[in-house]
């Protein structure tokens, strides 16, 4: 049966999709995939504020929100002040961005709210030249700026800036794909306004950063990682092999190319759904069962299947 007939064609419903990604993954037969073990030993992580602070320790957390609350408690700030965290560097380095996995030896740097700014941008082209991601706790921010793009010409906009509102509409609490959709739908040849919050910086002045990549290949310095989850306890996993990490990174690149978002957790879910499948039709069925509401284009599914096939051969 052709691939297109096997897959449901639904409209993208991003609000519902976030729940699908967070839920338990199922295999093609409908059964639950066995989950890795929850940590049985005490796991303690060291942390600092990225702009400078004493070193604190955090433990006993299962989700990004709980981690932010723990860090906020150490430094006596509100959890809402934390924009995002990086691993093993205090710099705004999108290659070291904390996602849902933390190496058991990683050092956590929390980037907090700094200067607020408002920018007016004339949308002269369909593409603004930015990639959006979010911290998993309600803050979307700029992960990448393309050289020569519209946003690249607005020098006050930087990688790491949190987007607080667009044309006066508060977008705090939105997922990154909702923000990307909102920006894409803005009318061409018109001016729009964004309110941004940049992370608080130390006194040193650094060059403006433009590009960031997936942190898949940079997670962890040991052999195990702690995977955070929105529901249930955090789980300890083996660090993915280099081949698997590269493949997931490529799937993330395809998500940006076809869908306009980067989401390493979604890319991981797609890889896991296809790694034991024998052909693209089986993979398409597995995607429908796990992430059906996305209605991915057939060309995208074939390209992702190609990445998974290459990883299998390696």
């Amino acid at each position: 049966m052709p691939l297109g007939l096997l897959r449901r064609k639904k409209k993208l419903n991003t609000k519902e999709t976030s729940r699908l990604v967070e839920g338990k993954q199922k295999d093609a037969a409908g059964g639950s995939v066995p989950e890795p073990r929850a940590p049985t030993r005490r796991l303690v992580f060291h942390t600092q504020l990225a702009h400078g602070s004493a070193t604190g320790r955090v433990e006993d957390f299962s989700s990004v929100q709980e981690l932010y609350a723990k860090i906020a408690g150490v430094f006596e700030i509100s959890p809402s002040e934390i924009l995002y965290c990086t691993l093993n560097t205090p710099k705004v380095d999108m290659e070291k961005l904390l996602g849902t996995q933390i190496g058991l030896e990683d050092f956590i740097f929390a980037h907090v709210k700094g200067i607020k700014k408002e920018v007016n941008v004339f949308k002269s082209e369909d593409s603004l030249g930015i990639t959006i991601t979010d911290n998993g706790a309600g803050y979307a921010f700029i992960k990448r700026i393309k050289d020569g793009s519209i946003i690249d010409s607005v020098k006050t906009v930087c990688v790491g800036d949190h987007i607080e509102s667009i044309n006066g509409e508060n977008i705090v609490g939105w997922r990154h794909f909702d923000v990307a959709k909102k920006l894409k739908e803005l009318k061409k040849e018109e001016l729009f306004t964004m309110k941004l919050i940049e992370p608080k910086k130390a006194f040193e002045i650094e060059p403006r950063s433009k590009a960031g990549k997936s942190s898949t290949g940079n997670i962890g310095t040991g052999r195990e990682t702690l995977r955070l989850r929105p529901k249930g306890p955090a789980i300890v996993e083996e660090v993915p092999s280099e081949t698997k990490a590269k493949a997931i990174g490529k799937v993330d690149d395809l998500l940006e190319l076809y869908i306009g978002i980067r989401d390493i957790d979604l890319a991981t879910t797609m890889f896991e759904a296809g790694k034991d499948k024998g052909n693209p039709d089986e993979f398409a069925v597995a995607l429908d069962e796990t992430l059906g509401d996305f209605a991915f284009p057939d060309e995208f599914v074939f390209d992702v299947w190609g990445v998974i096939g290459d990883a299998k051969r390696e």
Side-chain angles (χ1 to χ4, degrees), residues 129-130 142 144-147 149 152 157-159 208 210:
I130 57 175
I142 298 171
R144 176 181 296 170
I145 299 175
K146 183 179 180 181
D147 285 330
S149 64
D152 188 34
V157 180
C158 301
V159 166
R208 181 193 191 202
K210 293 181 180 178

Side-chain angles (χ1 to χ4, degrees), residues 97-117:
L97 192 66
L98 182 147
T100 57
Q101 284 184 293
I102 308 174
L104 299 190
E105 298 176 14
D106 280 346
F107 198 110
I108 304 169
F109 290 90
H111 298 254
V112 301
K113 291 179 179 179
I115 298 173
K116 292 189 175 185
K117 50 194 178 185

Side-chain angles (χ1 to χ4, degrees), residues 30 44 79 115 134 170-171 178 216 220 227 234 246 268 280-281 283 300:
V44 180
I115 298 173
D134 65 60
N170 189 301
I171 61 168
D178 293 315
T216 311
R227 175 176 284 275
K246 286 182 178 178
T268 301
D281 284 343
F283 177 49
F300 170 75

Side-chain angles (χ1 to χ4, degrees), residues 24-258:
K24 284 186 177 180
Q25 186 178 336
K26 296 183 177 181
D27 60 26
S32 296
V33 174
E35 295 189 357
R37 66 190 186 281
T40 55
R41 62 186 183 276
R42 183 183 180 188
L43 301 178
V44 180
F45 297 86
H46 291 89
T47 183
Q48 288 182 359
L49 299 180
H51 64 278
S53 73
T55 299
R57 299 196 303 174
V58 291
E59 60 181 302
D60 192 23
F61 54 88
S62 297
S63 66
V64 171
Q65 291 89 339
E66 289 181 7
L67 170 59
Y68 287 4
K70 295 285 185 178
I71 294 174
V74 169
F75 298 110
E76 298 183 345
I77 60 175
S78 169
S80 63
E81 287 295 304
I82 301 174
L83 294 177
Y84 46 81
C85 294
T86 50
L87 300 176
N88 306 313
T89 178
K91 296 181 179 180
V92 179
D93 185 345
M94 295 295 107
E95 293 187 5
K96 302 297 178 66
L97 192 66
L98 182 147
T100 57
Q101 284 184 293
I102 308 174
L104 299 190
E105 298 176 14
D106 280 346
F107 198 110
I108 304 169
F109 290 90
H111 298 254
V112 301
K113 291 179 179 179
I115 298 173
K116 292 189 175 185
K117 50 194 178 185
E118 183 174 312
V119 296
N120 296 314
V121 182
F122 183 73
K123 191 176 182 182
S124 57
E125 302 174 15
D126 290 327
S127 175
L128 294 171
I130 57 175
T131 300
I132 307 297
T133 190
D134 65 60
N135 67 354
Y139 289 163
F141 55 94
I142 298 171
K143 187 173 185 178
R144 176 181 296 170
I145 299 175
K146 183 179 180 181
D147 285 330
S149 64
I150 294 173
I151 295 298
D152 188 34
S153 66
V154 185
K155 298 306 180 184
T156 53
V157 180
C158 301
V159 166
D161 284 355
H162 161 50
I163 305 175
E164 187 177 41
S165 70
I166 301 172
N167 282 339
E169 182 177 5
N170 189 301
I171 61 168
V172 173
W174 290 25
R175 290 304 310 270
H176 57 291
F177 34 77
D178 293 315
V179 178
K181 184 173 182 286
K182 173 75 173 178
L183 291 170
K184 187 176 182 179
E185 291 175 346
L186 293 173
K187 292 182 179 180
K188 191 177 175 181
E189 303 298 331
E190 288 190 5
L191 198 70
F192 70 94
T193 302
M194 291 192 298
K195 287 186 177 180
L196 308 170
I197 302 178
E198 66 180 43
K200 190 172 183 179
K201 297 180 176 65
F203 290 110
E204 68 269 21
I205 299 175
E206 297 178 357
R208 181 193 191 202
S209 177
K210 293 181 180 178
K213 297 180 181 178
S214 163
S215 60
T216 311
N218 300 287
I219 296 174
T221 55
R223 295 183 58 193
E224 294 179 309
T225 65
L226 182 70
R227 175 176 284 275
L228 307 180
R229 303 194 297 174
K231 296 179 180 179
I235 51 180
V236 173
E237 298 179 331
E238 291 293 321
V239 174
S241 68
E242 184 178 354
T243 298
K244 179 180 177 180
K246 286 182 178 178
I248 292 173
K250 289 178 181 178
V251 175
D252 199 29
D253 291 339
L254 289 173
L255 278 170
E256 182 177 20
L257 178 64
Y258 280 93

Side-chain angles (χ1 to χ4, degrees), residues 9-26:
K9 290 294 183 183
K10 286 187 176 183
K11 245 182 163 180
L12 177 64
N13 185 336
T14 53
K15 306 266 192 230
E16 294 181 0
T17 299
S18 60
R19 290 187 285 113
L20 287 172
V21 177
E22 292 168 358
K24 284 186 177 180
Q25 186 178 336
K26 296 183 177 181

